[in-house]
Amino acid sequence: GFGFAVPRGPAAMKLGFLFPGVYGILLSLLILSGNFTDKLLCIFCHQDKYTLGNFGEVWANWHAIGCAFVGMMNLSVAKDEDAFGPGKRQVAINTVFIYGVWACQNTYYCINRPDLFTPLMWFNAIFCGIAAMLSFAAAQAAKS
């Protein structure tokens, strides 16, 4: 493996929803902070290159709300495992998809666009990958 153990059973269920939930909320808050200051966002991107064009604030706010939704869905399952019944497995599968896509996108940009992003962006790519893997473990645990 990769030198770490993926949790199984009830631990997989709890961590598989808790980590993606908390990380989604944190991502949302980070993105929304851009409405007030670019200081936090520019930890991850080069300030002189930071622009989203004429619709940047709109796109960023939409993305922030999407991150919050992913976070809230996962936190709701982590808080009450019975809340979604068998649907919690689908929540986990959907979370694998979104964090997996984000991990791939962020990794691509870290490798191919270092002119836009600082090395700290690797943490976001890695944490998105971890969230996807933990969600996969939760989906597997929910199957049994």
Side-chain angles (χ1 to χ4, degrees):
F2 292 104
F4 59 88
V6 175
R8 299 191 187 286
M13 291 289 284
K14 191 68 164 178
L15 190 57
F17 291 109
L18 185 61
F19 182 87
V22 169
Y23 196 57
I25 297 297
L26 290 175
L27 286 173
S28 178
L29 292 173
L30 173 67
I31 295 165
L32 288 172
S33 75
N35 289 301
F36 309 103
T37 178
D38 63 358
K39 298 299 181 214
L40 292 174
L41 289 170
C42 289
I43 293 171
F44 301 97
C45 61
H46 297 294
Q47 189 166 15
D48 61 327
K49 304 280 182 150
Y50 179 68
T51 179
L52 294 172
N54 294 336
F55 293 99
E57 187 177 325
V58 173
W59 292 116
N61 287 334
W62 281 339
H63 183 52
I65 298 307
C67 291
F69 177 78
V70 169
M72 291 179 351
M73 284 294 291
N74 280 274
L75 287 176
S76 64
V77 176
K79 182 177 183 283
D80 182 4
E81 292 180 12
D82 296 326
F84 288 86
K88 66 181 168 254
R89 182 167 187 272
Q90 197 58 48
V91 171
I93 291 169
N94 294 340
T95 304
V96 170
F97 170 76
I98 193 63
Y99 275 112
V101 168
W102 288 342
C104 291
Q105 288 175 323
N106 290 324
T107 300
Y108 171 85
Y109 285 117
C110 286
I111 292 169
N112 294 300
R113 295 305 307 265
D115 59 313
L116 298 178
F117 297 99
T118 71
L120 287 176
M121 189 62 159
W122 277 105
F123 285 111
N124 187 31
I126 291 166
F127 288 157
C128 286
I130 290 170
M133 287 188 289
L134 291 172
S135 296
F136 182 78
Q140 294 300 105
K143 200 166 39 169
S144 51

